[in-house]
Amino acid sequence: MKRWGDLSQDAVDHLSAASVLDHAEMAVVVTDRFSNLLYWNPFAERLFGRVGRPPSGQSSVLSLGIMEKDHPLAIELAKHVLKGGVWEGTFDVKRGDGTMIYVRAQAVPLRHSSGSVTGIVITAREALRSNEREKDRFGLLERIGEKLAGSLNVEETLKRVAEMLVPQFADHCFIELMEGDRLVRRVSQHVQGWTPPPGTWKQVGAEIHYPVGHYADTAIRRQETILVEDFASSSFPSPGEGSAKACSEVGMTSAIVAPLSVRGETLGLMYLGLSNLTDRRSPHYDAFDRDFVGAIATRVALAIDNALLFEEERHTAESFQKNLLPRALPTLDGLDIAVRYYPAAPLASHGQGIQTQVGGDWYDVIPLSAGRVGIVIGDVEGRGAKAAAIMGQLRAALRAFAQDDKPPADILAKLDEWTRVISTPEYDENGHEISVPPIVTCQYLVYDAWSRQLSYANAGHAPPLLLRDGICTELDIQEVGQPLGVRAKGVHADLVYKEETLTLPRGATLLLYTDGLVDRRPSRESGGHMPSDEETLGVLCEELSKITDSPVEQIAEAATQAVPGEIDDDMAILVIRSSYDNLDVEERTFPAQPIMVGEARRMAAEAFTGWQVPEERAELACLLVSEVVTNVVLHAASASIPRSRELVMEGPPLPFEESWDVPGFEDEVLGDKEFTLRIRRGEESVWIEVFDQDLRLPRIRSAGENDEGGRGLYLVDQLAKRWGSRPTKEGKAVWFEIPTRGR
């Protein structure tokens, strides 16, 4: 070297661009205008965990491991730099070995000699591992805050915290939360490839006790972040022999313990430790790190508190919903049933804050007379406690209405009126009431397993799906009425809701559902495409047609999985299947004459003998058959007035007696009165029905000591499991149930 600044040829070769980049302690990445990788230096290989140089122009910069959620940020970066700008920020990167790191990057345009931008030069380093920690701290805290803000589940929140800090900032991370007066370990995260040996550090779920004088105990008592800069120069009591053994094995060098406190309450603590398991530039924490961890702990505590509050709210909401829906479905003859209910996803995932998951979807299965069953599914518009409260009132009202055994159209008409009654009064600025009834869709069906007859009426609800012989179609409903609560004034409900009937084939399956089944939020795989209702229904039917003969539980589960996308609304599913076998029934019509009481009893006894009904149950049932049939025969004389005559009554109307006797009609006796006795056998009960032409429904009367009659229905009420009466098109039916297996 002749003078200062002159370089030898060896020095010139050593200072070539390639040589300098190979020795640089900073990642350097070069891309073309289309973000395809052209070059990265050896440090970039180590930082991103990639082996070998990139094939020129064949890999995107996104292949460096930038997390998917940061892809839009990377795209905006490229657009900004290609316009001549400079960008600096932080990315979440998943390295080749699966570990997570935060990368601080700066991007500048790569210019041709002509001045045009031909690509991008990116320099990067691991955040918090340089002399610019102050700048990195704010960026990383912002990233941590963003991650924690999106979590409303305690376990997910704790998992995110551990993944953010290990191995980025610590080799070991413990998070312990208070459960009553106990401190319980909820997270135990360590650098990849190492787990605590059995009998050393306590596992997740174990109760933790820190002795007095331990730095973790000090952190909780003082409510401040405690730094142990170097264990070699410090001495603290150990929580136990196993803990001391683990610390010695990994070579613990430094630790920080921060209490998790929010609103004056201590939720637990967060423990971070460094050890000899990793090769770090500095194996010790310092005061700067302590302050930084304290700031992180504040955000973590707030996130955990929000998650705990949300879980408590969710538990309350789910308990509320569970008690509004049927707790257990009854066992029904000739019918297999499966149900599913899924609450909607938390609204926080939509960016609308924390709200309850309860909704207005409901289903119900209602035992009716003589083994018949009422089936209902409905949906109250809206979401939250108000919709659930309305749903609960409607479900209770419908169950009460259903006990009248009226046709489905009549039940919906009464429910429509009730929907208007329960609407919350609202008033305009002038004080005038402007109540808006809730909009409710509902479908009510009545199924008779012995005749396989299905009667139904619809109030604006989606038709059920009929599955049979590998075919899935919508049930053909000719009359779809208006949703409950929106009927126009002056239009009678009988004109809106119509009853339809069909005979359900053997082994046929009906799937009733609310719109949450088909209204899904588009998944990422679909590219945000929102399918039409026809497309969604087609996908559902295509999947269900493959399993029409499968058990109802499998069909219900398949239905929940068939439609792609995330559940965007609460969803109820009810699947019913008719029996393949005919159920036992005996039926006969008799003249309404006293001598026929014995014949009816004989018919019942023969049926019970053939069905092997226990003798004591058969005798009880025969006794009650005699009582009901006797009442029918005794009152048959006044059961029906000829329809061609106009009944003219002078004077005040006659009082309705509590007995079945109506005085004054003895002259109207007709000689062709009949009654029908129908006996049905179920798995655990027999049902007896007596049909006649009398329109009056029976009532229990209080018989005096000297009265010869009036005790028949009292006996039925006392001895039968259930009894009742219902109107029919020709008159009425009186029925009762006798269990064949115990009382």
Side-chain angles (χ1 to χ4, degrees):
M1 184 168 59
K2 298 178 181 178
R3 63 179 184 274
W4 185 259
D6 289 343
L7 300 176
S8 65
Q9 185 59 44
D10 290 341
V12 171
D13 295 338
H14 184 67
L15 291 176
S16 65
S19 178
V20 171
L21 291 175
D22 286 347
H23 288 82
E25 288 293 312
M26 175 177 288
V28 179
V29 179
V30 181
T31 74
D32 60 17
R33 290 183 57 85
F34 304 101
S35 297
N36 294 316
L37 290 173
L38 301 177
Y39 168 84
W40 68 44
N41 68 341
F43 190 89
E45 293 182 33
R46 297 193 298 273
L47 178 64
F48 295 107
R50 310 296 172 184
V51 179
R53 298 300 173 88
S56 181
Q58 297 182 17
S59 299
S60 168
V61 69
L62 300 179
S63 66
L64 292 175
I66 297 175
M67 297 299 289
E68 184 177 353
K69 67 181 186 61
D70 283 342
H71 286 183
L73 180 64
I75 294 173
E76 290 301 318
L77 173 157
K79 291 179 180 179
H80 177 73
V81 175
L82 290 174
K83 293 178 181 179
V86 176
W87 184 92
E88 185 174 0
T90 306
F91 286 106
D92 291 2
V93 172
K94 187 173 184 179
R95 304 176 74 247
D97 59 3
T99 58
M100 297 286 301
I101 61 171
Y102 291 98
V103 172
R104 187 73 178 177
Q106 183 181 57
V108 298
L110 177 65
R111 297 184 180 274
H112 188 264
S113 57
S114 63
S116 61
V117 178
T118 59
I120 301 173
V121 177
I122 302 171
T123 57
R125 49 187 164 72
E126 186 178 356
L128 297 178
R129 289 293 175 262
S130 72
N131 294 328
E132 299 186 29
R133 294 192 299 173
E134 186 69 25
K135 184 186 297 183
D136 291 341
R137 181 176 69 171
F138 295 108
L140 188 54
L141 281 177
E142 182 180 354
R143 307 287 293 183
I144 291 174
E146 290 175 358
K147 278 195 171 185
L148 294 179
S151 174
L152 290 174
N153 178 275
V154 173
E155 298 301 327
E156 182 182 354
T157 299
L158 299 179
K159 180 181 178 182
R160 289 187 179 188
V161 170
E163 289 178 347
M164 285 186 295
L165 297 175
V166 177
Q168 174 81 6
F169 191 73
D171 297 333
H172 312 277
C173 174
F174 301 106
I175 299 179
E176 287 130 16
L177 298 184
M178 299 297 300
E179 295 183 4
D181 57 352
R182 301 165 61 242
L183 187 64
V184 178
R185 181 155 293 170
R186 300 291 294 273
V187 168
S188 178
Q189 182 87 6
H190 309 276
V191 288
Q192 191 172 13
W194 188 86
T195 56
T200 56
W201 281 328
K202 291 188 177 181
Q203 301 299 312
V204 173
E207 184 176 358
I208 306 299
H209 296 280
Y210 291 108
V212 176
H214 191 277
Y215 49 94
D217 177 71
T218 303
I220 292 180
R221 286 189 295 101
R222 294 183 181 178
Q223 287 295 291
E224 64 180 50
T225 303
I226 300 299
L227 164 67
V228 180
E229 190 167 348
D230 189 353
F231 278 111
S233 59
S234 306
S235 178
F236 299 95
S238 174
E241 293 182 4
S243 178
K245 179 181 178 181
C247 291
S248 175
E249 179 178 321
V250 300
M252 290 291 291
T253 58
S254 188
I256 298 176
V257 181
L260 301 175
S261 303
V262 63
R263 288 189 281 271
E265 181 182 0
T266 301
L267 304 180
L269 60 84
M270 181 173 66
Y271 182 111
L272 302 179
L274 295 177
S275 68
N276 293 329
L277 292 178
T278 57
D279 182 17
R280 298 177 183 269
R281 180 172 298 178
S282 173
H284 301 283
Y285 291 125
D286 57 19
F288 178 88
D289 296 321
R290 178 194 59 201
D291 296 341
F292 177 66
V293 171
I296 293 178
T298 300
R299 287 160 172 78
V300 171
L302 184 60
I304 293 175
D305 188 54
N306 287 337
L308 289 171
L309 290 174
F310 179 75
E311 286 200 352
E312 180 179 353
E313 182 179 357
R314 181 179 61 186
H315 175 72
T316 302
E318 290 178 349
S319 299
F320 182 34
Q321 188 82 47
K322 185 182 298 182
N323 284 279
L324 289 176
L325 294 173
R327 295 189 178 184
L329 295 177
T331 300
L332 301 168
D333 292 297
L335 204 61
D336 291 333
I337 303 176
V339 296
R340 293 290 187 276
Y341 175 80
Y342 293 93
L347 289 183
S349 62
H350 299 225
Q352 301 177 28
I354 300 175
Q355 295 190 21
T356 60
Q357 294 176 295
V358 294
D361 291 14
W362 94 93
Y363 60 85
D364 209 348
V365 178
I366 309 169
L368 301 177
S369 63
R372 297 156 65 246
V373 57
I375 302 165
V376 61
I377 194 160
D379 186 359
V380 179
E381 183 184 50
R383 183 168 155 187
K386 181 179 179 181
I390 293 173
M391 176 269 284
Q393 296 181 71
L394 290 177
R395 175 175 174 258
L398 191 145
R399 289 187 70 91
F401 297 155
Q403 299 308 314
D404 291 339
D405 269 330
K406 295 290 183 66
D410 293 351
I411 299 297
L412 288 187
K414 295 182 69 174
L415 199 62
D416 176 73
E417 294 294 341
W418 183 251
T419 303
R420 298 167 183 272
V421 169
I422 64 176
S423 61
T424 305
E426 297 181 11
Y427 302 91
D428 61 15
E429 56 186 9
N430 298 320
H432 298 123
E433 184 175 342
I434 53 171
S435 297
V436 179
I439 298 176
V440 183
T441 64
C442 181
Q443 174 130 347
Y444 181 62
L445 310 90
V446 175
Y447 181 63
D448 187 332
W450 281 262
S451 65
R452 301 185 186 277
Q453 187 179 62
L454 182 72
S455 304
Y456 53 90
N458 190 292
H461 201 81
L465 299 180
L466 178 62
L467 286 67
R468 185 191 179 200
D469 299 333
I471 300 175
C472 174
T473 59
E474 282 191 328
L475 187 66
D476 185 19
I477 298 180
Q478 301 296 327
E479 298 285 346
V480 177
Q482 295 292 326
L484 305 176
V486 300
R487 173 170 49 88
K489 291 184 178 180
V491 178
H492 197 273
D494 292 344
L495 303 176
V496 178
Y497 306 112
K498 302 295 183 181
E499 179 182 356
E500 301 178 48
T501 61
L502 63 83
T503 300
L504 207 59
R506 296 184 181 186
T509 303
L510 283 178
L511 187 145
L512 294 80
Y513 62 94
T514 58
D515 55 9
L517 175 63
V518 292
D519 293 344
R520 299 292 184 97
R521 200 179 327 140
S523 60
R524 292 180 178 179
E525 292 76 10
S526 65
H529 170 66
M530 178 70 73
S532 64
D533 293 343
E534 292 76 13
E535 292 174 335
T536 302
L537 191 60
V539 171
L540 179 61
C541 284
E542 182 181 356
E543 292 299 320
L544 294 181
S545 63
K546 303 174 184 177
I547 56 171
T548 56
D549 297 327
S550 300
V552 290
E553 287 289 343
Q554 184 176 340
I555 292 176
E557 190 63 30
T560 64
Q561 306 294 334
V563 181
E566 301 178 37
I567 297 176
D568 200 38
D569 193 5
D570 53 333
M571 173 180 69
I573 296 175
L574 194 154
V575 182
I576 61 172
R577 169 175 290 157
S578 65
S579 174
Y580 287 96
D581 302 321
N582 290 326
L583 303 184
D584 292 328
V585 60
E586 295 288 343
E587 183 174 334
R588 182 179 169 187
T589 300
F590 301 89
Q593 301 172 4
I595 196 173
M596 291 295 106
V597 175
E599 290 295 322
R601 181 175 179 135
R602 184 177 300 109
M603 169 193 163
E606 291 175 353
F608 297 147
T609 301
W611 294 339
Q612 298 180 346
V613 175
E615 182 177 355
E616 67 277 7
R617 297 298 175 187
E619 290 180 355
L620 174 60
C622 288
L623 171 64
L624 299 186
V625 166
S626 297
E627 292 295 334
V628 175
V629 171
T630 298
N631 275 335
V632 169
V633 171
L634 288 177
H635 299 285
S638 58
S640 178
I641 305 302
R643 300 295 189 266
S644 60
R645 292 185 54 184
E646 181 181 4
L647 180 63
V648 179
M649 301 183 64
E650 297 181 357
L654 293 174
F656 185 83
E657 299 292 339
E658 290 188 345
S659 70
W660 292 7
D661 296 321
V662 178
F665 292 142
E666 288 81 358
D667 297 336
E668 301 294 342
V669 177
L670 299 178
D672 59 348
K673 296 295 173 27
E674 297 177 333
F675 69 89
T676 299
L677 175 62
R678 178 191 293 165
I679 307 174
R680 295 174 164 185
R681 183 178 74 158
E683 185 69 22
E684 298 183 351
S685 297
V686 291
W687 286 272
I688 292 88
E689 296 176 283
V690 180
F691 300 84
D692 67 353
Q693 293 80 38
D694 193 344
L695 298 176
R696 296 164 297 173
L697 299 180
R699 296 167 57 187
I700 298 176
R701 60 173 291 187
S702 299
E705 292 182 3
N706 299 321
D707 290 348
E708 295 182 0
R711 297 177 178 84
L713 284 183
Y714 177 79
L715 286 176
V716 175
D717 181 64
Q718 292 297 309
L719 300 177
K721 180 179 180 181
R722 293 194 305 151
W723 80 277
S725 61
R726 70 175 188 272
T728 64
K729 294 181 179 179
E730 295 78 17
K732 71 171 181 300
V734 181
W735 62 273
F736 61 88
E737 177 186 355
I738 298 294
T740 57
R741 298 181 181 178
R743 176 62 176 168

